[in-house]
Amino acid sequence: MASSESQDGGSQATEGGGARPDRVPAMQRLLDNPFLLLFLGVVMPTVFYLIWGIMEIIQIPIAK
Amino acid sequence: MSVGALEGALARPEEKYRICGDTGLRVYAKAETLIKVNAVAAVVFLAVGGLFGLLVALTRWPAVHILPAEWFYTALTAHGAAVLLFWIIFFEMAILYFASAILLNCRLAAPKFAWLGFILMIVGSLMATVAVLQGESSVMFTSYVPMKAAPHFYLGIILFAVGALLGCMVFFGTLVIAKEEKTYEGSVPLVTFGAITAAIIAVFTIASGAIILVPTFLWSIGYISHIDTVMYKLVWWAMGHSSQQINVSAHVAVWYAIAALVLGAKPLSEKVSRTAFLLYILFLQLASAHHLLAEPGISSEWKVFNTSYAIYLAVLGSMIHGMSLPGAIEAAQRRRGFNKGVFGWLRQAPWGNPAFSGMFMSLVMFGFLGGISGVVLGTEQINLLMHNTLYVPGHFHATVVAGTTLAFMAVTYLVVPLIFRRELILPAVARWQPYIFGIGVAGISLFMMGAGTLGVSRRHWDITFSDSVFTFDYPGTAFLMMGLNGISAVLAAVGGLMYVVVVVGSILFGKVRDEAAIKANPIVAPGNAVSTYGGEGTLKLPGTIVLVTVFFLAFVLYYFINWKFLSEVWPLS
């Protein structure tokens, strides 16, 4: 396993005997958290596509 | 699910499993059975949907024109539902279970819920198919209101979606179990990360489907008096187009899986490929907006943000995968000693292995045909050249059929020996199948896009408008395009039939793949690249650089040709 690229936090030993860095980069933490990704993946299109789009449509004046 | 049931699901580590003789992975029996049943259901719907697709193409071929109008719209609706929803999502359920339970060496969370999900999907898909075949629900895949289908059409799709959502929940639960039981170290492998991307997009897709299809069902039975047509279109496409983004994520994961299994290829950089998937998670679903680019009531700010600014970030994700995949293959081939010249690695690739050839053709056709045409369709101004013409099905046949279906067909040639543990029958047929199907589908996509560029409408039964009060004469080239599309559809149907015969025949009559067969005919490259984290870590890839340069040139050229074409349609001076 290419442990140099993988990390799950803490300072556990790797297969190569080295110590993992204590501080896991924010991007790595994001990519390792499927539920945070799920939140972002639902919120982004909901806000920018659905809610914004619905606001556009309800502002269309009704024909008289 | 109650807390007690969840705890029960999390605390049963003694489930039955086997060690795969090919990959060395632990394969839990319950996950394996669920993969099998979902894959079989998928192939059945592909066969049914493919048949309807052939009838549609033969009807749109003016010289053949096989179906009367009412049958045509029934066949078109059945084709869309069977292949665009049922075939692909059943197969994606199999992928989710494979990418979680198998690749993470882990038992499946709550398999009873997975079975409940499967049963709901079967009941829903059959209910919707019956509704269509009864002839009262020929509303096509989009089912735009105020066209009204039978209530059981909407109910069937809702049940199918609820079943798929249960499958996604089981997938996420399995990730939790794998982490709790420490069945993998560090980060999940890239194929699993791609499946996570697909599952996330699936959750948004299904939620959007519920928001619009539940009231539409209530409207069909008379509880709601009116559904706003533009509102329906907006929310429906959050489901309709996003469902195709599930496919993109899933088939990119499948590309990585096949490259890893067949060649031992790792991505060029695992981090960069994961970031590309993150771009999908954040931006890919916004592409739904390109279906509303011609709506007069919606502002250009909304249209341009969703289809141009944001979606280009998702396109960037696809281009990263488009370089990472051939780059990974080149790096793996060069590591195996195929170093001659710029393209020696490509010439010496296993083109006789249908898993590899199908994957590589899927990659090329998805990029060149589906990707470039998708960007053109997603640009507000040049979209007007082909909005709602036959160009749109041409584009999505390049993404969903040449891209997704061909990739799923390719991985089936690994699923049959690895999961069903059967040797492939008719190996020569299997070898040719991806080429026949791939060439056919490339023709379908190109000729439909060509006809669409000439203005042929997307869904009309008869481009001669023979029974219409007002006539319209398309140029002769449009008729030629429709004929070539029909011939290509016949070729693709032959390829599809070859796939069904080989897969079903192998499952029913193939020789059992025992230890002796595994030794005599190994199909997985050593190194277990598919279930481990890590990249190739090299950019010495001259062949890939050339391929990517050709892609960019084609992209730029085609994009600007369309602007030139637009300037001729609407002269500004």
Side-chain angles (χ1 to χ4, degrees), chain B residues 22 90 119 183 205 257 277 336 384 430 446 456 458 478 516 558 569:
Chain B
D22 285 280
F90 272 118
I119 290 165
T183 60
T205 302
F277 276 122
R336 286 150 54 102
L384 293 177
L446 280 170
V456 174
R458 180 175 174 180
Y558 186 68
V569 173

Side-chain angles (χ1 to χ4, degrees), chain B residues 74-153:
Chain B
T74 298
L76 186 55
T77 309
H79 171 59
V83 287
L84 218 44
L85 281 179
F86 306 145
W87 138 251
I88 280 176
I89 294 183
F90 272 118
F91 205 94
E92 280 162 355
M93 287 299 123
I95 290 172
L96 290 188
Y97 298 143
F98 174 81
S100 56
I102 309 290
L103 292 187
L104 298 180
N105 272 306
C106 168
R107 68 202 163 82
L108 202 63
K112 283 180 184 166
F113 276 76
W115 275 106
L116 177 62
F118 175 73
I119 290 165
L120 283 173
M121 288 170 72
I122 288 286
V123 171
S125 53
L126 290 177
M127 193 183 281
T129 305
V130 167
V132 173
L133 296 181
Q134 283 172 331
E136 300 299 317
S137 303
S138 298
V139 290
M140 291 166 283
F141 178 63
T142 44
S143 55
Y144 285 149
V145 297
M147 284 194 295
K148 192 181 278 184
H152 53 298
F153 172 79

Side-chain angles (χ1 to χ4, degrees), chain B residues 223-501:
Chain B
Y223 275 95
I224 290 178
S225 61
H226 174 73
I227 302 270
D228 183 86
T229 51
V230 183
M231 198 70 87
Y232 176 92
K233 202 171 176 184
L234 175 91
V235 184
W236 191 90
W237 277 114
M239 177 193 78
H241 201 89
S242 300
S243 63
Q244 310 318 311
Q245 316 297 16
I246 309 171
N247 306 340
V248 172
S249 310
H251 79 227
V252 172
V254 163
W255 291 344
Y256 281 113
I258 293 173
L261 286 166
V262 174
L263 298 171
K266 296 174 180 177
L268 294 181
S269 162
E270 182 107 25
K271 285 177 186 170
V272 172
S273 289
R274 275 156 57 102
T275 306
F277 276 122
L278 176 65
L279 292 172
Y280 280 180
I281 290 170
L282 297 177
F283 303 112
L284 195 53
Q285 299 153 82
L286 306 179
S288 306
H290 84 72
H291 293 279
L292 289 98
L293 283 176
E295 297 298 324
I298 302 175
S299 71
S300 274
E301 288 85 352
W302 180 87
K303 291 174 183 171
V304 172
F305 176 83
N306 280 289
T307 58
S308 291
Y309 289 112
I311 195 60
Y312 290 160
L313 294 168
V315 172
L316 175 65
S318 283
M319 290 199 288
I320 290 171
H321 293 307
M323 174 164 177
S324 185
L325 246 301
I329 292 166
E330 180 173 358
Q333 285 285 83
R334 289 189 185 278
R335 197 161 16 87
R336 286 150 54 102
F338 301 114
N339 269 311
K340 196 173 172 188
V342 177
F343 288 116
W345 61 276
L346 196 56
R347 278 195 302 275
Q348 310 254 17
W351 295 106
N353 180 341
F356 177 84
S357 60
M359 178 272 286
F360 204 88
M361 283 198 293
S362 160
L363 169 68
V364 171
M365 290 197 281
F366 176 78
F368 277 86
L369 300 180
I372 295 175
S373 62
V375 172
V376 167
L377 275 177
T379 304
E380 188 184 9
Q381 297 86 344
I382 47 180
N383 173 280
L384 293 177
L385 290 169
M386 65 283 282
H387 189 88
N388 248 359
T389 67
L390 205 56
Y391 191 98
V392 179
H395 155 72
F396 71 68
H397 278 75
T399 56
V400 180
V401 192
T404 306
T405 297
L406 191 50
F408 287 2
M409 284 176 167
V411 82
T412 312
Y413 293 116
L414 296 173
V415 169
V416 169
L418 296 178
I419 299 293
F420 288 87
R421 283 181 281 168
R422 299 281 176 169
E423 295 282 326
L424 292 178
I425 63 162
L426 305 173
V429 177
R431 202 174 305 128
W432 280 100
Q433 186 273 327
Y435 297 101
I436 307 267
F437 185 79
I439 292 167
V441 173
I444 289 173
S445 303
L446 280 170
F447 297 126
M448 279 206 279
M449 285 195 273
T453 306
L454 294 167
V456 174
S457 64
R458 180 175 174 180
R459 288 165 170 150
H460 204 283
W461 165 68
D462 173 21
I463 73 167
T464 64
F465 295 100
S466 54
D467 57 351
S468 173
V469 177
F470 301 103
T471 57
F472 182 83
D473 288 328
Y474 286 110
T477 319
F479 287 85
L480 175 67
M481 293 282 176
M482 299 311 291
L484 291 170
N485 172 53
I487 293 168
S488 302
V490 172
L491 198 60
V494 170
L497 182 65
M498 290 162 74
Y499 168 79
V500 172
V501 167

Side-chain angles (χ1 to χ4, degrees), chain A residues 1-2 5-8 15 20 27-28 30-32 34-35 37-38 40-42 44-46 48-50 52-54 56-58 60, chain B residues 176 185 187 193 200 204 230-231 234 237-238 270 274-275 278 281-283 285-286 288-289 292 297-299 301-302 305-306 533-535:
Chain A
M1 176 158 181
E5 266 204 342
S6 65
Q7 39 198 321
D8 54 5
E15 284 177 10
R20 290 180 190 282
M27 188 69 171
Q28 185 79 34
L30 168 66
L31 294 174
D32 281 345
F35 294 100
L37 293 172
L38 174 62
L40 292 173
V42 172
M44 280 290 290
T46 302
F48 288 109
Y49 176 83
L50 276 179
W52 185 5
I54 289 169
E56 296 268 338
I57 291 169
I58 59 178
I60 300 172
Chain B
V176 173
E185 274 187 59
S187 305
F193 195 80
I200 288 170
F204 172 76
V230 183
M231 198 70 87
L234 175 91
W237 277 114
E270 182 107 25
R274 275 156 57 102
T275 306
L278 176 65
I281 290 170
L282 297 177
F283 303 112
Q285 299 153 82
L286 306 179
S288 306
L292 289 98
I298 302 175
S299 71
E301 288 85 352
W302 180 87
F305 176 83
N306 280 289
Y533 184 99

